[in-house]
Amino acid sequence: MNAAKVLDAKGLACPMPIVKTKKAIGEIESGQVLEVHTTDKGAVKDLAAWTESTGHELLKHEDDNGVLKFWIKKG
Amino acid sequence: MKAMTAKEVTKKVINNEELFILDVRNETDFNDWKIEGRNFEYLNVPYFDLLDGVEPILDKIPADKELLVVCAKEGSSVMVAEMLEEAGRDASYLTGGMKSWSEYLEPVKVGDLKDGGEMYQFVRIGKGCLSYMVISNGEAAIVDATRMTDVFTDFAAEKNAEIKHVFDTHLHADHISGGRKIAEKTGASYWLPPKDAEEVTFEYNRLEDGNEVMIGSTKISIQAIYSPGHTIGSTSFVVDDQYLLSGDILFIDSIGRPDLAGKAGDWAGDLRETLYKRYKDLSGELVVMPAHFMIIEELNEDGSVSEKLGTLFANNHGLNIEDEGEFRKLVSENLPPQPNAYQEIRETNMGKISPDEEKQREMEIGPNRCAVR
C-alpha cells in the first residue's frame, strides 16, 4: 500500500500514538494514506474508534512481530 | 491536578460516597467494564474525541461534585485532567488507570476464630474476586489467591504468620491464580482438586473430600467438601465450623456457571446436586464466603462479601428453582459472555503456558463473569 507518510510512534504510551496520528494526518491531503507504527496495544480499538468518529478510513491493520501497523486514508 | 489511588476510590465505594467519573476509554471498553459505586455518576467520552479541547463537555460535568478522570493505563486521564484544570475545574486522575483498579486488593477482617485466630477476606474490588487468609497462632492458610502474591506474603509477614497451606477451590478460568507462586516462595503446600488438575504440569497436593488441615496449634480446622458443578473438581471448605468458603459454586446473589471448562450440560446435574443436596445438609448458620461478587450490591457495609447459608436458601433465586428442567435451562442457556481470555487463563493456571506480567494483566482485563443469575 502506498503511504504518503509513515508515522513512527513505537514505544509511545497512550495517548501519544493518537495525538501524533492526528497531527500527521493534518499534514497529508484528503484521499492520501498515513501509515502508523505503534507498540501500544490499546491503539487497536482506539484508532478504529477514532478514525470512525473523525471521518477517516482505517484501511487495514496488522501485527508485525509486536509492531502494530495501521493504514489510514484521510477523509 | 491530583492523583487518586485505587485504594482511595475503594474507600469511596465502601462508604457509598459520591463521585463523578469521566471515563475517557473507548465506548466498547467502558460498556464492558467500569468502576462501580452505588453513588457514582458517569460520563464516557473517549480521550481521542477531546484532543481539540474539553469545552464541548464542560456543561455535562457538574461543578459541585468531586471529579475523577479514568482511562486504561493513566496517560490519557492525566492529559484530560490537565485540560480540565486549565478550563478551571478541579480534577483528579486514577493512578495506574483501570490496570491498577483491576489489581487492587482490599483486605477486610471478616471474623474471629474460636481460639483467637482471625479470618481475612481480600476484596479485589475492580474484578470481583475474593481471596481468603486464615491466621492462627503464627500460621496462615490462603484460599484462592490472586496473582498479586506480594499482597498476601506481605500481609502474612505483617501478622507474623508463616504461610503453611495454599488452596485453590478449583481451576480458575477468570483470573490467574497466585497459589502456586506463593507456595514456591514460602515453602507452603499447594492444594488443588485432582479432578481439575488432570492436565497440570506441576506437583501439587491432592485436595479431596474430607481432607482436614490444622492451622496453628489452636486447631483451626479447614475441612474440604467435594462440591462439583462450576468445574468437575470444585471443592468447598468449612473453616472453624463457622465459615463456608463456597468457591465459584454459590455466590450471594447468584450461583456458579457450569460451562467454563466446556461442559454446561454434563455439569448442570452436579451443580444442582451440590447446591440442593450437599449444601442443604449443612448448617444454615454457616457464613458463606464465595470466591466472587458480581454486583456492588453484594458488598456488606464494611466492604466484605458474606451471608448466612440459611439466608441464601431463603433469598438466592438460584437456590429456589424447584423444577430440575428449569434449573438446567437457567445454567446452560442464555449464559453471559465468557470471561476475557478464559481458555488462556485456564492454561496458565495449569502451568501449560507462562505469559509475562504484561500479558497476564491483559488476559485478566474485565469483569469475572463466573455466575448465572
Side-chain angles (χ1 to χ4, degrees):
Chain A
M1 204 171 301
N2 274 334
K5 193 175 174 70
V6 178
L7 170 67
D8 179 4
K10 292 196 292 289
L12 297 176
C14 187
M16 292 320 289
I18 287 199
V19 171
K20 291 203 175 257
T21 300
K22 183 180 189 305
K23 185 164 173 284
I25 214 141
E27 292 162 4
I28 61 173
E29 301 297 323
S30 181
Q32 287 184 322
V33 173
L34 172 69
E35 184 177 330
V36 180
H37 299 177
T38 174
T39 45
D40 178 28
K41 288 184 184 126
V44 178
K45 276 187 200 161
D46 289 357
L47 268 175
W50 175 77
T51 48
E52 209 181 298
S53 78
T54 47
H56 307 305
E57 189 186 348
L58 180 59
L59 299 173
K60 71 164 187 165
H61 79 90
E62 62 182 38
D63 185 340
D64 183 0
N65 276 323
V67 177
L68 302 166
K69 296 183 174 176
F70 300 85
W71 287 266
I72 303 165
K73 188 174 168 187
K74 182 169 178 171
Chain B
M1 185 183 53
K2 295 181 296 283
M4 195 183 286
T5 61
K7 185 183 174 67
E8 290 168 317
V9 179
T10 300
K11 282 270 170 309
K12 290 182 187 296
V13 174
I14 294 172
N15 296 334
N16 292 323
E17 288 173 40
E18 292 188 350
L19 186 65
F20 191 90
I21 294 180
L22 171 60
D23 194 318
V24 297
R25 292 174 300 154
N26 64 62
E27 214 174 303
T28 320
D29 288 352
F30 173 77
N31 290 334
D32 191 43
W33 177 57
K34 65 177 188 293
I35 298 179
E36 305 280 354
R38 284 188 185 89
N39 292 314
F40 289 4
E41 283 178 69
Y42 308 90
L43 177 65
N44 172 225
V45 183
Y47 68 93
F48 45 79
D49 287 342
L50 297 171
L51 297 178
D52 290 327
V54 292
E55 282 70 27
I57 60 162
L58 282 180
D59 60 352
K60 292 180 190 153
I61 302 171
D64 58 343
K65 287 232 167 85
E66 187 168 14
L67 172 62
L68 177 68
V69 188
V70 171
C71 71
K73 289 182 185 167
E74 184 181 291
S76 304
S77 62
V78 171
M79 177 185 80
V80 173
E82 264 170 7
M83 293 163 93
L84 285 162
E85 293 262 323
E86 276 165 28
R89 296 299 188 91
D90 286 329
S92 303
Y93 66 89
L94 175 63
T95 310
M98 290 303 279
K99 179 171 68 81
S100 71
W101 184 243
S102 170
E103 294 184 345
Y104 178 68
L105 302 179
E106 173 87 7
V108 183
K109 183 174 167 180
V110 283
D112 289 309
L113 304 175
K114 282 176 207 146
D115 291 314
E118 295 175 306
M119 175 88 172
Y120 287 90
Q121 185 178 53
F122 290 75
V123 183
R124 186 174 180 183
I125 186 93
K127 200 172 161 63
C129 301
L130 303 166
S131 312
Y132 296 89
M133 193 183 289
V134 181
I135 302 178
S136 174
N137 248 352
E139 292 188 357
I142 301 173
V143 180
D144 290 332
T146 63
R147 67 179 165 78
M148 283 66 79
T149 55
D150 289 351
V151 178
F152 300 96
T153 51
D154 290 353
F155 193 84
E158 206 179 287
K159 297 278 173 190
N160 291 316
E162 191 188 341
I163 300 169
K164 302 293 270 187
H165 297 281
V166 183
F167 303 92
D168 271 315
T169 52
H170 62 287
L171 189 86
H172 298 285
D174 66 291
H175 68 275
I176 294 161
S177 168
R180 184 160 48 110
K181 199 168 146 196
I182 293 174
E184 279 166 9
K185 208 154 71 171
T186 62
S189 311
Y190 179 46
W191 300 76
L192 256 183
K195 285 184 178 163
D196 277 5
E198 278 167 9
E199 295 175 61
V200 305
T201 60
F202 47 82
E203 295 290 312
Y204 65 96
N205 290 22
R206 295 167 69 87
L207 174 60
E208 282 165 316
D209 191 76
N211 278 158
E212 209 154 340
V213 167
M214 298 295 174
I215 304 298
S217 55
T218 47
K219 300 191 179 172
I220 302 304
S221 76
I222 294 182
Q223 189 198 345
I225 304 171
Y226 178 52
S227 49
H230 175 65
T231 61
I232 189 66
S234 284
T235 300
S236 311
F237 296 98
V238 172
V239 177
D240 199 31
D241 300 322
Q242 295 189 67
Y243 305 106
L244 173 63
L245 270 49
S246 59
D248 282 11
I249 290 293
L250 175 61
F251 307 114
I252 303 303
D253 192 44
S254 54
I255 57 174
R257 63 191 289 178
D259 66 312
L260 292 181
K263 301 190 176 165
D266 294 1
W267 293 352
D270 287 329
L271 182 64
R272 185 164 178 94
E273 170 91 15
T274 292
L275 292 174
Y276 287 69
K277 294 212 174 82
R278 292 210 139 200
Y279 274 20
K280 193 93 201 183
D281 288 343
L282 299 170
S283 160
E285 289 300 303
L286 287 173
V287 178
V288 174
M289 301 208 170
H292 289 297
F293 66 94
M294 318 298 149
I295 48 173
I296 219 73
E297 284 70 22
E298 290 176 279
L299 258 57
N300 297 328
E301 267 179 24
D302 61 356
S304 69
V305 179
S306 66
E307 186 53 87
K308 277 194 179 167
L309 183 59
T311 308
L312 294 186
F313 268 111
N315 297 338
N316 187 318
H317 172 68
L319 291 177
N320 289 285
I321 304 168
E322 272 183 35
D323 184 69
E324 190 161 348
E326 198 189 315
F327 179 86
R328 191 168 276 276
K329 223 173 138 172
L330 171 83
V331 300
S332 56
E333 290 173 22
N334 300 318
L335 290 166
Q338 282 143 335
N340 189 44
Y342 74 106
Q343 293 292 18
E344 283 172 293
I345 290 175
R346 294 182 72 246
E347 284 175 14
T348 307
N349 286 335
M350 291 179 200
K352 286 183 173 175
I353 54 171
S354 306
D356 63 30
E357 203 184 349
E358 189 56 37
K359 176 72 185 163
Q360 292 193 12
R361 270 190 189 129
E362 207 183 293
M363 283 157 62
E364 283 191 341
I365 278 303
N368 65 67
R369 297 199 172 120
C370 288
V372 279
R373 288 179 77 203

